[in-house]
Amino acid sequence: MKKKVLTTTIATGLMAAGVLTTQNPASAKADTVPTGDNATSTNEVATQKSDAKTIAKDNVNTAQTNLDKAKADTQNASDSLQQAKVNETTAQKAVDEQTGKVSGAQNNVDKAQADVTTAQNGLTAAQENAKNATEANIQAAKDNVATQEQNVATAQDQAKQANDGVAEQTNKVTDAQKAVNDAQNNTSAAQNNVNTAQKTVDDAKAAMDPANVQATVDAANKAEAQVNQDKQNVATAQTNLENAKTADATRQTNIDNAQKAVNTAQANVDFSTKQAQEMKDQLNKYQGIKDAAQKEVDGLNDKLSNVNTIELPKGYTKEAYRAWDEANYKKYIGTATAEDLQAIKNWEDITSQEVNNNYKHNKIDEDNKILNGDIHNLTQSQLEELATFTASLLNPLRKQIGSIPLEVSKGSVKIAQDVAKKYEQDNWTAWGNVKDSTFKGHDINGLVEVANKYNFQDIGENLGGNALMYGSDNMDQLKEYTYVILVDMLLHDGDSNWGHARAALGLLNNADSYGGDDEQVDHAYIGVSFDNIPGALMGSQEHFNFMYTPYGYVLNEDNTARISINDKFDATPVAILSTEDLVTQLNTAKAKLASATDALNKAKDADTQAQQILAKNKAELTTAQDNLTKAQNVPVQTATAQRALTDAQNKLAADTKINEDAQAKKEAALGDEAAKQKVLDQANANLATAQKALIDAQTKQKAAENNLSAEKAKLANLQQVANEKTQDVKAAQVALDDAKNKLAALENAPLLVKAAEDKLAAAQKALDPVENVLVSEKAKLSALKQDLADAQADVTTAQKNYDEKLAIQTKAQTNLDNAKKVLQAIYDREALEAQIAAQEKAREGAEKKAAEEKAQAEKNGYHVDGNKVVDENGNQVSNWTVKNGQIIDNKGKVVSGLTINKAGTVVNKTGQQINSKNVVDNLQANKHTQAPVVQSKVAGKTYVSTVVVPEKAKANALPQTGEKESKTTLVGAILVGLGSLVGLFGLGRKKEY
């Protein structure tokens, strides 16, 4: 039998994976493919299986390719994200650093502004002081100084008297303290005398006792010996004192000498320190001078190396131009000769020559920022610098062709700005205004209006356009564009009949031509300005304004103009540096640098020498201080020796008295009772005297202590007065200094005003660059913040791209996993089909073998058919049944000696199949356990039965054969079991047979 719908399960699995439903629709209908025993159906199923496997493999490969690409895309996105984050970090760091710079620049501006405010306040004060600097106020200030000087002198005298009183009272306190100390010593001595007298009384009383006589004698002898020893000790102490005084005198001499050496060394160090500092200050001074000179030289070298010049073609002269101009006019009116045509050709040949004019950039100008890049809002210094730059380019050429040089003044710069404003007010372009595009050239009316404003007879103006100037954010760029425009005007002006070149270089002798009457005027001024008219075809217009004779000029006899500058025009010159000026300045600067270098070298030598001397003196001071310390560390001996002598003398005195008492006691002890009584009486009298002396000493000590307290109180009062007088001196001195300062301020009022003005000017001058720096740093910060915002936006974009790519990768991974699962399912199906096929083949073999064994068993003898036993002829053996694979007789007991093998054959113990012939023998062999066997013949056939005799003599029938039952055999049971096994392996599958 063939399996019909195995591919159905596979197709369903593929659809669940979401892989095949759109790629191979036929596979989705596999469950409807008819199956049968014909080859066509089998081939179709096989083809479908092969197609599904191929598609699954292709899907795995495609999914793997997609995953690899997705991983590459994700990695690229990750790299981009990491780079974007690095850029963000870099941008953030730049913003943080620039924020610090802006903060620093703001601090500098705040400080500079505070300096300006302080200087302004100082100037106000100086000016107010100058107003008060009258002779009367000055004399009053002098009188006040004299008064304050007298006050200081008076305060000093009073302070001296108070301090003298303090010194005198301090001596009194010292004397009172000494009196107290002496009184305390006297009291102590009196107390000692009382103690000694009391002891003498006690000893006298004891001496009257006969038992103490020997002790008294011994004590007297001992006291006498002690006195003798004390005398020797005093003599030794006196000798030691003399030696100590000598040693201390030597020590003091050494200390004094060492101190003198220290003083000398310290004075040397102080002097050499001062000298070294002076040399260091001098060195710093000359270093500053040298650095300034070097900076000046470097700056001039830089200027010279970056001086911009314009070169004219060979033959570009005033004569050549004039010849062309006259010939060109004749050609225009139709009277040109061959010579005229040649002059025209000559000029065309001259101006057509290639000249290499290149602008040289300048770092200083690059750092000179234009606020907000607005060329229409330049500072005054930038306007003046641009005008002098233009003049410096044109003047060498004007000198070359014989024209007077251009000048720059405060007024010419101002007029240039007025011309620009007039053009903007009139909305003027070369084509008229924004409402009228007819070509009209220059704004003549506007120029005349500006000229009249300054009483000028005439002003000339050139237009040059360059849109690139709008991109200028520093003076270097603006100068470059100015340079380019000038070169264009001078060398490529044929379309304008060389009018711009004529005005710039003064090529014509024509008083009516704008900028062309150089030979008839004394001055030619220049200013540069910009205007920007909305809708103007040329965009930005650069004006070179040439101011000539002012209104009311007077002609000389030779018809040349004598200029008369009026007060409406500010002729204050603005210096124009030429190359020659720069060379001169450079040579001067180099000479200053050489001088400064020589002075610096000498200062270095002097500094080195001073430092060496200082180091030597410091070493000598250290040695002297060490020697002084050593001398001072030698112990003082006199005081110790004096104390030892005093102690020895005191001990001798005390022991002498003790000895005298002891001798008196000894004498009394050896004398009679009357003498002893006399000693006792005297001892009592001495005790009374000593006690009275103690009371007197204590009274005197109390009086001395009271006096000391009173003297100390007086000293405290005097010290307070002295302190107050000292403060009075200081206050008087302050008042005197203030009076002197006020007098000096009044006497030097003009100088102070000038100094305050200089200080204010310096402060204001210092404010401009730091404000420019602040503006520049803020602009940089703004740009960096934009860079940071861009970087952050890039991170956001990169993160989004990465997330998208990662999602695609995740989906691709899922698709690959699903595709692999589908392919693995196909592999699993193939393995299962192979296993089932093998099992089917084994089952068929077993069925065949079982059939053969069954046929053989049916042919040879007894065998099992279901639960019955039949013989070789198919007849049932009566009274035998099969239960649990065993043969059971009609008594329900197992027939002994017989078993059933796997083929369902009934065999004996040796495995031999029994049949109708040998059944009796086999049963007889087991008769001891089996009922009697009966063999009978019926219709020529032999039957064997067992006879079972029950207790009631009821016999069972012999085994009978002849009944036909079901043909289900053990083989069938085995097949059923195999079928169950197949079902186990095919669990979960739909099977039809």
Side-chain angles (χ1 to χ4, degrees):
M1 298 178 71
K2 302 297 182 181
K3 296 180 69 72
K4 179 179 179 181
V5 290
L6 180 61
T7 56
T8 300
T9 304
I10 300 300
T12 303
L14 294 176
M15 290 172 66
V19 178
L20 298 179
T21 55
T22 58
Q23 297 182 1
N24 187 11
S27 65
K29 299 179 181 180
D31 57 342
T32 64
V33 176
T35 59
D37 294 337
N38 58 79
T40 300
S41 298
T42 301
N43 290 338
E44 288 177 354
V45 172
T47 300
Q48 290 175 358
K49 292 179 181 179
S50 175
D51 289 344
K53 183 176 181 181
T54 301
I55 291 172
K57 287 183 177 179
D58 291 343
N59 288 338
V60 169
N61 293 335
T62 299
Q64 184 65 58
T65 300
N66 292 340
L67 177 60
D68 292 341
K69 182 178 181 303
K71 285 183 176 179
D73 292 343
T74 301
Q75 184 59 49
N76 291 337
S78 176
D79 293 342
S80 298
L81 176 59
Q82 295 306 316
Q83 184 59 51
K85 288 182 177 180
V86 169
N87 294 343
E88 179 186 20
T89 301
T90 301
Q92 184 64 61
K93 181 179 180 182
V95 167
D96 294 341
E97 291 177 352
Q98 189 61 30
T99 299
K101 292 182 180 179
V102 169
S103 177
Q106 184 64 60
N107 291 337
N108 292 338
V109 169
D110 293 342
K111 183 179 181 300
Q113 186 60 60
D115 292 342
V116 169
T117 302
T118 301
Q120 183 62 61
N121 293 337
L123 176 57
T124 301
Q127 291 171 338
E128 186 65 26
N129 177 69
K131 292 180 182 179
N132 296 327
T134 63
E135 291 184 3
N137 288 339
I138 292 175
Q139 185 57 50
K142 290 180 178 179
D143 294 341
N144 186 39
V145 168
T147 299
Q148 295 304 327
E149 287 176 343
Q150 183 59 44
N151 291 341
V152 169
T154 300
Q156 288 174 339
D157 289 341
Q158 293 175 351
K160 183 177 183 303
Q161 293 176 4
N163 287 321
D164 290 344
V166 168
E168 182 179 356
Q169 186 62 29
T170 299
N171 293 332
K172 290 181 179 181
V173 169
T174 301
D175 293 341
Q177 183 65 57
K178 183 176 183 302
V180 168
N181 295 339
D182 292 342
Q184 289 175 341
N185 292 333
N186 292 335
T187 299
S188 297
Q191 183 64 57
N192 291 333
N193 291 335
V194 168
N195 296 337
T196 301
Q198 183 63 56
K199 186 175 185 300
T200 301
V201 169
D202 295 337
D203 291 341
K205 290 180 179 179
M208 297 184 69
D209 186 353
N212 294 328
V213 172
Q214 186 58 49
T216 301
V217 172
D218 293 338
N221 293 337
K222 182 179 179 182
E224 185 177 8
Q226 184 61 51
V227 168
N228 293 333
Q229 182 61 49
D230 288 345
K231 290 179 180 180
Q232 293 179 5
N233 292 341
V234 168
T236 301
Q238 288 176 332
T239 301
N240 292 338
L241 176 60
E242 295 302 323
N243 293 336
K245 288 180 178 180
T246 301
D248 286 349
T250 301
R251 172 183 177 277
Q252 189 58 50
T253 298
N254 293 337
I255 290 176
D256 294 341
N257 293 335
Q259 185 62 59
K260 291 179 181 179
V262 167
N263 295 341
T264 300
Q266 184 63 59
N268 291 338
V269 167
D270 293 342
F271 178 78
S272 57
T273 298
K274 182 179 178 182
Q275 287 291 95
Q277 186 58 50
E278 290 177 355
M279 294 302 101
K280 180 63 68 178
D281 294 341
Q282 182 171 283
L283 175 62
N284 293 335
K285 171 187 173 183
Y286 286 113
Q287 182 68 56
I289 295 174
K290 190 262 184 183
D291 291 342
Q294 184 66 59
K295 184 177 180 180
E296 183 179 4
V297 169
D298 293 341
L300 290 169
N301 277 325
D302 183 61
K303 285 184 178 180
L304 279 170
S305 63
N306 290 285
V307 169
N308 280 287
T309 58
I310 296 176
E311 180 182 353
L312 297 177
K314 185 177 181 181
Y316 194 118
T317 64
K318 182 179 293 188
E319 291 72 22
Y321 172 78
R322 288 176 176 175
W324 169 85
D325 185 61
E326 294 176 4
N328 192 52
Y329 176 73
K330 291 179 181 179
K331 181 180 178 182
Y332 175 74
I333 62 176
T335 62
T337 64
E339 185 178 359
D340 293 328
L341 296 178
Q342 183 61 43
I344 293 174
K345 183 177 184 304
N346 290 342
W347 181 252
E348 292 175 347
D349 291 342
I350 289 170
T351 56
S352 64
Q353 298 178 61
E354 291 294 331
V355 183
N356 186 22
N357 286 306
N358 294 311
Y359 177 78
K360 296 179 181 179
H361 293 278
N362 186 287
K363 181 65 170 59
I364 297 177
D365 288 337
E366 289 176 0
D367 294 336
N368 188 353
K369 301 298 181 182
I370 297 174
L371 184 61
N372 298 325
D374 184 4
I375 63 174
H376 306 106
N377 191 26
L378 300 177
T379 65
Q380 181 66 24
S381 63
Q382 289 173 332
L383 289 170
E384 292 176 0
E385 183 177 350
L386 193 60
T388 57
F389 171 73
T390 305
S392 70
L393 292 172
L394 295 176
N395 278 343
L397 306 180
R398 292 173 70 92
K399 181 179 180 182
Q400 176 181 327
I401 64 177
S403 298
I404 65 174
L406 297 171
E407 301 175 52
V408 177
S409 73
K410 299 288 186 180
S412 68
V413 173
K414 179 65 172 62
I415 291 177
Q417 307 314 305
D418 289 348
V419 170
K421 290 178 181 178
K422 188 59 183 171
Y423 265 77
E424 290 182 345
Q425 291 171 1
D426 295 344
N427 286 326
W428 194 269
T429 71
W431 287 266
N433 55 48
V434 294
K435 296 181 180 179
D436 181 5
S437 61
T438 303
F439 181 80
K440 295 184 178 182
H442 300 271
D443 186 2
I444 302 300
N445 292 333
L447 294 174
V448 171
E449 182 179 333
V450 175
N452 291 337
K453 176 181 177 181
Y454 293 94
N455 282 348
F456 265 76
Q457 180 69 20
D458 197 6
I459 60 174
E461 164 265 342
N462 284 330
L463 294 177
N466 192 326
L468 290 177
M469 287 188 295
Y470 284 114
S472 303
D473 65 359
N474 61 66
M475 288 297 291
D476 183 68
Q477 292 177 347
L478 195 55
K479 286 182 178 181
E480 179 183 13
Y481 301 144
T482 300
Y483 180 91
V484 171
I485 292 172
L486 283 176
V487 171
D488 188 61
M489 285 183 173
L490 298 177
L491 304 181
H492 309 99
D493 201 35
D495 292 342
S496 298
N497 280 330
W498 301 95
H500 297 97
R502 177 189 68 205
L505 298 179
L507 296 173
L508 277 183
N509 182 16
N510 183 353
D512 294 329
S513 298
Y514 291 115
D517 56 344
D518 292 344
E519 294 182 358
Q520 294 187 11
V521 297
D522 299 324
H523 299 274
Y525 289 96
I526 182 174
V528 179
S529 63
F530 306 93
D531 65 67
N532 179 28
I533 304 171
L537 297 178
M538 296 186 69
S540 174
Q541 298 176 349
E542 184 172 358
H543 299 169
F544 296 95
N545 301 282
F546 301 91
M547 278 61 68
Y548 295 97
T549 54
Y551 184 83
Y553 65 88
V554 179
L555 291 178
N556 296 322
E557 293 179 359
D558 58 358
N559 289 327
T560 59
R562 182 170 68 253
I563 198 165
S564 176
I565 301 298
N566 56 78
D567 57 2
K568 290 188 177 182
F569 175 72
D570 187 354
T572 303
V574 178
I576 303 172
L577 288 179
S578 64
T579 303
E580 292 77 7
D581 294 331
L582 289 175
V583 170
T584 300
Q585 291 183 6
L586 177 60
N587 291 333
T588 301
K590 285 182 177 179
K592 287 169 57 179
L593 176 60
S595 176
T597 302
D598 181 61
L600 177 62
N601 291 334
K602 292 179 179 178
K604 285 181 178 179
D605 293 340
D607 177 65
T608 300
Q609 185 178 6
Q611 292 298 331
Q612 292 173 347
I613 293 173
L614 176 60
K616 173 177 174 294
N617 289 340
K618 284 184 176 180
E620 292 178 353
L621 174 60
T622 300
T623 300
Q625 290 172 332
D626 290 342
N627 292 336
L628 176 59
T629 300
K630 292 178 181 178
Q632 290 172 335
N633 288 337
V634 174
V636 178
Q637 302 179 33
T638 299
T640 302
Q642 183 63 59
R643 284 195 300 271
L645 175 60
T646 301
D647 291 342
Q649 290 173 335
N650 291 337
K651 191 172 188 304
L652 173 60
D655 289 343
T656 298
K657 189 170 183 180
I658 292 172
N659 182 49
E660 291 175 352
D661 291 340
Q663 295 302 324
K665 291 176 183 179
K666 173 182 176 182
E667 183 179 353
L670 295 176
D672 54 15
E673 290 300 320
K676 293 179 181 179
Q677 184 61 49
K678 182 179 179 181
V679 170
L680 177 58
D681 293 340
Q682 184 60 47
N684 285 325
N686 291 341
L687 175 59
T689 301
Q691 289 173 335
K692 182 178 182 300
L694 175 60
I695 293 173
D696 292 340
Q698 290 174 337
T699 301
K700 291 179 180 180
Q701 178 182 343
K702 181 62 176 177
E705 289 173 346
N706 292 337
N707 182 59
L708 175 60
S709 297
E711 296 297 341
K712 284 184 175 180
K714 291 179 182 180
L715 177 60
N717 292 332
L718 292 173
Q719 186 65 59
Q720 181 178 357
V721 173
N723 292 338
E724 293 173 353
K725 295 303 181 182
T726 300
Q727 293 301 320
D728 291 343
V729 171
K730 292 181 179 178
Q733 186 63 54
V734 170
L736 174 60
D737 293 340
D738 183 61
K740 288 182 177 179
N741 291 335
K742 289 180 179 179
L743 175 60
L746 292 173
E747 290 178 334
N748 298 288
L751 295 177
L752 293 177
V753 171
K754 181 61 170 63
E757 290 174 341
D758 293 343
K759 187 174 182 180
L760 176 59
Q764 290 173 332
K765 183 178 180 181
L767 178 61
D768 289 339
V770 295
E771 284 182 333
N772 292 336
V773 170
L774 177 59
V775 171
S776 175
E777 296 299 345
K778 283 184 175 179
K780 291 179 182 177
L781 178 60
S782 178
L784 290 175
K785 283 184 176 179
Q786 183 59 49
D787 293 343
L788 175 59
D790 294 342
Q792 291 171 335
D794 291 343
V795 170
T796 301
T797 301
Q799 183 67 56
K800 180 179 179 182
N801 182 53
Y802 172 74
D803 294 340
E804 291 174 351
K805 293 296 189 267
L806 184 60
I808 293 173
Q809 177 183 334
T810 301
K811 183 177 180 182
Q813 183 66 57
T814 301
N815 291 342
L816 176 60
D817 294 341
N818 290 336
K820 286 183 176 179
K821 289 178 181 178
V822 170
L823 181 60
Q824 187 61 44
I826 293 175
Y827 286 143
D828 293 344
R829 181 204 64 191
E830 290 178 344
L832 180 59
E833 286 179 340
Q835 183 180 9
I836 292 173
Q839 291 174 348
E840 184 70 15
K841 184 176 181 181
R843 184 181 65 78
E844 291 175 352
E847 288 179 349
K848 181 178 180 182
K849 182 178 180 181
E852 291 175 351
E853 289 178 348
K854 178 180 179 184
Q856 187 65 35
E858 293 175 349
K859 180 180 179 182
N860 293 335
Y862 285 15
H863 55 276
V864 174
D865 186 1
N867 63 345
K868 300 174 182 174
V869 178
V870 295
D871 61 10
E872 59 270 22
N873 296 316
N875 298 319
Q876 178 181 356
V877 178
S878 64
N879 299 325
W880 279 6
T881 60
V882 176
K883 187 177 182 180
N884 296 327
Q886 294 178 316
I887 302 174
I888 307 301
D889 61 17
N890 59 353
K891 194 63 175 175
K893 294 188 178 183
V894 176
V895 177
S896 178
L898 299 180
T899 59
I900 302 171
N901 63 15
K902 293 181 179 180
T905 303
V906 179
V907 298
N908 58 17
K909 293 181 177 180
T910 62
Q912 179 184 5
Q913 185 178 11
I914 64 172
N915 50 39
S916 300
K917 295 181 179 180
N918 60 20
V919 65
V920 175
D921 296 334
N922 281 282
L923 293 176
Q924 287 295 340
N926 297 284
K927 60 182 179 179
H928 59 284
T929 60
Q930 185 61 46
V933 178
V934 178
Q935 187 174 22
S936 61
K937 290 184 177 180
V938 178
K941 295 183 179 180
T942 302
Y943 297 93
V944 178
S945 301
T946 57
V947 180
V948 179
V949 182
E951 294 179 357
K952 296 182 179 180
K954 181 179 180 181
N956 290 329
L958 292 173
Q960 298 296 321
T961 63
E963 296 184 11
K964 296 287 185 177
E965 299 292 342
S966 172
K967 294 185 178 181
T968 300
T969 63
L970 183 59
V971 174
I974 293 173
L975 292 178
V976 171
L978 288 175
S980 299
L981 182 61
V982 172
L984 178 63
F985 283 106
L987 184 63
R989 298 180 181 276
K990 182 178 179 183
K991 296 180 284 293
E992 297 182 6
Y993 296 90

